Amino acid sequence: MRKVVIYSLVLVLALSWVFLPGVSEHSAVHAQEAAPELKRVRPGVITAGTRTFTMRLDGRHFASGANLLFDGVALPSPRISTKGRVLLAEVTASLISSPGTHTVQAINPDGMTSAVGTLTVKAQDPDLRIRLDGNSAQEDSGLIFLPTIVLDTLGKGDILVWGKSAVTTEVPGGVQIEIPDGLVDDPAEIPITLQDKSGNISNTELFFVVPKAPKIFDTDPFELEVGTDDVPLFVTGDYKPGSTTIVVNNVRLATTVGKNDRLEATIPGSFRSQPTRLVVRLEQDGIQSRDAIIPVTPTTGPFIFTLAPFRLRVGERKPSIDVIGANFDKKVTAKVDGQDANIRSLVRTRITVAIDPNAAVGPHTVQIIDKDGNATATAVFEVVPDVTVSTFVGTGKAGFNLACVSGDEATFRRPRRITLAPDGLLYITDQQNHAIRTVNVTTRQTCTLVGTGEEGYNDSGNALGKPPTLSFPNGVAVASDGTVYITENGNSVVRRVLRSGSSITVDTFAGLFKEVTDKDKQTIFNSTRQGVASYRDAGRFDSAFRLPDDIVIAPNGAIYVADAGNHSVRRITQTGGQFAVDTVAGNGVPGFADGAAENARFNTPTGLALSLDGNFLFVADTNNGRVRQIDLVNKQVSTVAGGGEGDVVDGPGGEAILFQPIGLASDLDGVLYVSEFGTSDIRRIDSQGNTTTLAGGGGLKLRDGSGLDARFNQPRGLAIDRQQGVLYVADYENFVIRKIVLR
């Protein structure tokens, strides 16, 4: 329909030019002289200290290439929407860091400007605070979104969405706000604020309208031979022509739009100088597509790139290996250890070969031969002994032990994260007991370090005279000096436990909070402080997190935090005696993109693990279904495993499927272990990204035994004893800690 409209318009203009030259000339002059008209600045007021947000100007005659002037300076990345009636651009956080008034104006490419509007930046009223529960939608979805605003007190004023009063419905704990589909047509960071009748305002939350990810339907060529010449590449799919780039092996190629909106680029000859598999993606609006693979083979005969999986466990039922390669026709045959093997399925780039269930432990070979007798090189897979899974501590029933008890008596209420500390103890965030527990790995004695079983926010020496309390602790890490660092879901801060002999002191280490001085509120919330969820890089007490999750400490003392609600990875460092928080990767907006760390995107990063040398940080990117790697030296982000589609659960990194990975642990040989929230399985990723299942098999149960037979129930955190070859699992919904003997 769009093309018909365009063609019709061209025809009308052409006829006008032939038959009505005077009208055409008049129209052209009129269009040139039309100045942009500003009807409304949205929002008109915003809170000082808000992170980068999208400003919206409503009006008309915003021409293609128009910009938004903020205090007379053009903003980056302006864009036009709704047929020239909406102008959008991002206002960076530095421009609204303090109260004041700013001018706002539209300017067209010909220099014509609109009337001047204003944006007022106000300080937050300390008695007004909101929290957005669910903060993103996909652009152009055609839906009305109903996120919930959590309020301290209902009925204090109006909820403003992009400066306009929203339709709200009261729900338990807050109000549900309506974000109409007309506001989610374009990528944006929409400000949401509470304003009372006196004009005082709360903090400003942001609702992200996330760009739709592009999709690849087909590539031409779909396979290549080894060579040195450049090769043209054509890609078809679902994308925005003109604003989409072809990315090959993480290199962005110069991209043009060809016939029928087909994307065109050139693959450099250096990319195909040896057998390999080219990874092709599309990138638009900072979001990347899933992978398409173009194999590069040395001949037209059969060729093997890799096997999936590389490892089979003793006792697997109907075991098979996928041979991934190229040039497989229907007449090829397969051999395993030199003997004919049954082919279960075959396509041009993948063959499934049956393996003898009684195959011995050790290496085995696979080879493919075509009808002319041309054989591939042999590829090697392993049959390995299965692991053993047992319940280490916990009864399997929810409960809480304030005093030390034996492992058989210990009770938990949803243990979330776990770490093996330098002192040899396991430290566990007992999330819904709001406590930190310890387990002696030799005696299994289980004790409570911090927490009373009650939720709250009280540091040591608080005004209530109460023992320290936590609120839904998420992550835990222990430094070499015994200091314990804790991230909190409920308070969105990082807490610290300091030790002096047998006494401990709990304080707030980083994050934004405010003091609670009202006696009634102190009693109701069991808190003398209230955490503030936001996103801000600054000194440790001016910085802000949103639902921080896992936390790890690098050999150089840097502390890394998976800031799940801000879709980023944060870092706490000390310089000249002062601590500060910065962002290592991600930008606060959910999505998926590899590349330079400052441009990379995550979607709810949760689990973290460091390489042994501290140069690489691995991230469980939960809602992207991937494990990512941050090169801390070169500041680059890449995908280790996950993102595959179809039925390939185990396999090479980019083709394997991970179902909401949430916990990570790294072994001596570079192997990563991953817990999956989506399947309740434990996966294994080798140093090349090859992914296999270590333990579990679906089914939300508590069952010990071999890895094949064992079952978990939404496992979360992982901790590894590298010397003993033991992996510990926080089995969240089974209320226990499990133990997997790896070797």
Side-chain angles (χ1 to χ4, degrees):
M1 180 62 71
R2 183 175 299 168
K3 291 181 180 178
V4 172
V5 172
I6 291 173
Y7 296 155
S8 300
L9 180 59
V10 171
L11 179 61
V12 169
L13 290 176
L15 291 173
S16 299
W17 181 261
V18 173
F19 297 107
L20 299 169
V23 174
S24 298
E25 291 172 3
H26 174 76
S27 300
V29 171
H30 177 75
Q32 183 179 9
E33 294 178 350
E37 294 183 15
L38 177 61
K39 294 183 178 180
R40 186 179 297 106
V41 176
R42 300 178 63 177
V45 61
I46 200 162
T47 316
T50 298
R51 58 153 294 168
T52 297
F53 75 97
T54 303
M55 174 161 281
R56 173 183 172 124
L57 303 187
D58 291 342
R60 62 177 183 164
H61 303 316
F62 299 136
S64 177
N67 210 326
L68 195 156
L69 301 179
F70 191 89
D71 289 338
V73 179
L75 294 178
S77 305
R79 49 205 182 273
I80 305 298
S81 182
T82 320
K83 299 180 180 180
R85 295 194 297 272
V86 173
L87 175 59
L88 304 169
E90 274 64 58
V91 178
T92 59
S94 61
L95 298 176
I96 53 170
S97 59
S98 56
T101 302
H102 302 271
T103 61
V104 179
Q105 196 174 22
I107 181 171
N108 277 344
D110 60 5
M112 300 286 284
T113 58
S114 71
V116 177
T118 59
L119 171 70
T120 301
V121 181
K122 289 186 176 184
Q124 177 186 347
D125 185 315
D127 291 329
L128 299 178
R129 178 173 175 263
I130 62 173
R131 178 167 60 83
L132 185 61
D133 199 9
N135 66 342
S136 65
Q138 185 171 283
E139 68 164 319
D140 202 22
S141 57
L143 300 174
I144 295 175
F145 291 89
L146 301 170
T148 299
I149 289 284
V150 180
L151 301 172
D152 286 346
T153 305
L154 297 175
K156 281 195 171 183
D158 291 332
I159 299 293
L160 306 180
V161 176
W162 242 337
K164 185 177 180 180
S165 294
V167 176
T168 62
T169 303
E170 189 171 327
V171 295
V175 294
Q176 196 172 63
I177 60 172
E178 180 177 307
I179 300 181
D181 60 341
L183 297 187
V184 296
D185 289 341
D186 302 278
E189 301 171 31
I190 301 175
I192 300 176
T193 311
L194 171 66
Q195 184 174 43
D196 69 13
K197 295 179 181 179
S198 301
N200 301 311
I201 62 173
S202 69
N203 61 302
T204 295
E205 291 276 64
L206 297 180
F207 184 85
F208 300 107
V209 182
V210 182
K212 183 169 59 176
K215 293 181 180 180
I216 296 176
F217 294 158
D218 192 24
T219 66
D220 181 11
F222 62 86
E223 62 184 25
L224 287 168
E225 287 187 41
V226 169
T228 57
D229 295 337
D230 294 350
V231 177
L233 172 63
F234 306 102
V235 179
T236 58
D238 183 6
Y239 45 76
K240 299 175 183 177
S243 60
T244 304
T245 300
I246 297 175
V247 181
V248 178
N249 290 358
N250 280 333
V251 176
R252 289 159 179 79
L253 303 182
T255 304
T256 59
V257 180
K259 185 178 180 181
N260 297 326
D261 289 337
R262 181 180 65 183
L263 298 182
E264 302 179 359
T266 299
I267 300 174
S270 59
F271 282 28
R272 54 185 287 250
S273 61
Q274 58 186 358
T276 187
R277 304 174 79 222
L278 301 180
V279 178
V280 181
R281 292 179 186 159
L282 296 180
E283 180 174 300
Q284 87 183 9
D285 298 325
I287 302 293
Q288 292 180 349
S289 69
R290 292 186 179 273
D291 300 347
I293 305 296
I294 299 178
V296 179
T297 62
T299 68
T300 56
F303 185 82
I304 297 176
F305 284 108
T306 188
L307 303 178
F310 270 100
R311 292 160 52 99
L312 292 174
R313 294 173 286 177
V314 170
E316 291 204 31
R317 301 164 184 84
K318 297 183 178 180
S320 64
I321 290 288
D322 277 5
V323 181
I324 300 168
N327 306 325
F328 299 148
D329 62 30
K330 294 182 179 180
K331 296 184 179 180
V332 298
T333 57
K335 290 186 180 294
V336 175
D337 296 333
Q339 304 298 312
D340 289 342
N342 180 45
I343 293 178
R344 290 182 177 167
S345 64
L346 184 155
V347 294
R348 187 171 177 81
T349 58
R350 184 183 294 267
I351 298 174
T352 301
V353 178
I355 304 299
D356 183 353
N358 299 314
V361 170
H364 298 266
T365 62
V366 177
Q367 195 173 30
I368 304 299
I369 302 103
D370 69 12
K371 61 182 176 58
D372 297 321
N374 298 309
T376 65
T378 57
V380 179
F381 68 94
E382 278 189 290
V383 175
V384 297
D386 201 355
V387 297
T388 302
V389 181
S390 61
T391 299
F392 186 56
V393 293
T395 65
K397 296 181 179 180
F400 181 60
N401 318 105
L402 188 58
C404 293
V405 296
S406 70
D408 293 333
E409 298 173 292
T411 54
F412 302 88
R413 189 170 275 109
R414 296 189 172 89
R416 183 171 177 95
R417 294 286 174 196
I418 183 170
T419 188
L420 182 62
D423 60 10
L425 298 178
L426 288 174
Y427 286 73
I428 301 157
T429 54
D430 192 357
Q431 192 178 52
Q432 293 190 14
N433 278 323
H434 315 288
I436 304 300
R437 315 289 293 279
T438 64
V439 178
N440 185 308
V441 296
T442 302
T443 66
R444 299 171 52 240
Q445 184 184 53
T446 304
C447 301
T448 298
L449 176 70
V450 177
T452 63
E454 295 182 346
E455 180 188 1
Y457 188 171
N458 294 297
D459 283 339
S460 296
N462 60 81
L464 292 176
K466 289 195 169 187
T469 52
L470 308 174
S471 177
F472 297 96
N474 261 352
V476 59
V478 184
S480 57
D481 64 357
T483 301
V484 181
Y485 298 91
I486 307 159
T487 60
E488 286 185 284
N489 190 307
N491 291 322
S492 284
V493 296
V494 180
R495 308 284 288 280
R496 178 174 62 176
V497 181
L498 298 167
R499 289 163 159 163
S500 178
S502 59
S503 65
I504 65 169
T505 301
V506 178
D507 65 6
T508 300
F509 180 65
L512 200 60
F513 61 87
K514 67 177 184 179
E515 303 291 345
V516 178
T517 57
D518 182 274
K519 298 296 184 182
D520 290 336
K521 287 186 177 180
Q522 287 180 347
T523 301
I524 292 171
F525 298 114
N526 187 33
S527 299
T528 52
R529 285 179 171 171
Q530 185 177 57
V532 178
S534 188
Y535 181 33
R536 184 187 301 170
D537 287 338
R540 60 174 173 150
F541 295 130
D542 292 320
S543 62
F545 304 87
R546 187 187 303 278
L547 309 179
D549 203 322
D550 210 358
I551 181 171
V552 294
I553 303 173
N556 65 1
I559 299 172
Y560 294 93
V561 178
D563 196 356
N566 283 322
H567 313 288
S568 60
V569 177
R570 316 288 292 282
R571 175 176 56 189
I572 306 172
T573 54
Q574 184 179 22
T575 304
Q578 299 296 315
F579 288 97
V581 178
D582 68 345
T583 298
V584 175
N587 60 5
V589 183
F592 169 71
D594 283 337
E598 67 269 21
N599 298 324
R601 292 200 185 187
F602 300 83
N603 192 343
T604 320
T606 53
L608 297 177
L610 278 160
S611 62
L612 297 184
D613 59 10
N615 291 334
F616 297 94
L617 181 66
F618 301 99
V619 183
D621 193 0
T622 300
N623 286 336
N624 275 325
R626 291 172 168 91
V627 172
R628 315 282 290 281
Q629 172 185 276
I630 304 174
D631 182 334
L632 298 172
V633 176
N634 297 307
K635 298 181 172 66
Q636 292 287 316
V637 176
S638 58
T639 296
V640 176
E645 293 183 293
D647 298 325
V648 185
V649 176
D650 289 337
E655 296 183 36
I657 299 176
L658 297 175
F659 299 90
Q660 294 182 293
I662 196 167
L664 292 175
S666 60
D667 209 343
L668 289 168
D669 53 2
V671 167
L672 289 172
Y673 297 101
V674 185
S675 59
E676 285 184 321
F677 173 76
T679 61
S680 293
D681 289 347
I682 309 298
R683 310 289 290 282
R684 179 187 187 273
I685 304 173
D686 71 15
S687 58
Q688 303 303 310
N690 299 301
T691 304
T692 54
T693 299
L694 180 77
L700 306 180
K701 299 177 182 179
L702 174 55
R703 181 195 295 168
D704 290 334
S706 68
L708 286 165
D709 292 332
R711 295 294 182 267
F712 302 85
N713 195 343
Q714 298 184 15
R716 299 293 207 274
L718 302 176
I720 190 166
D721 185 334
R722 299 186 181 97
Q723 302 304 319
Q724 298 299 318
V726 173
L727 183 69
Y728 296 97
V729 182
D731 198 350
Y732 190 73
E733 289 292 345
N734 278 328
F735 310 117
V736 297
I737 306 300
R738 311 288 289 281
K739 176 181 177 179
I740 303 177
V741 178
L742 300 171
R743 47 187 178 268

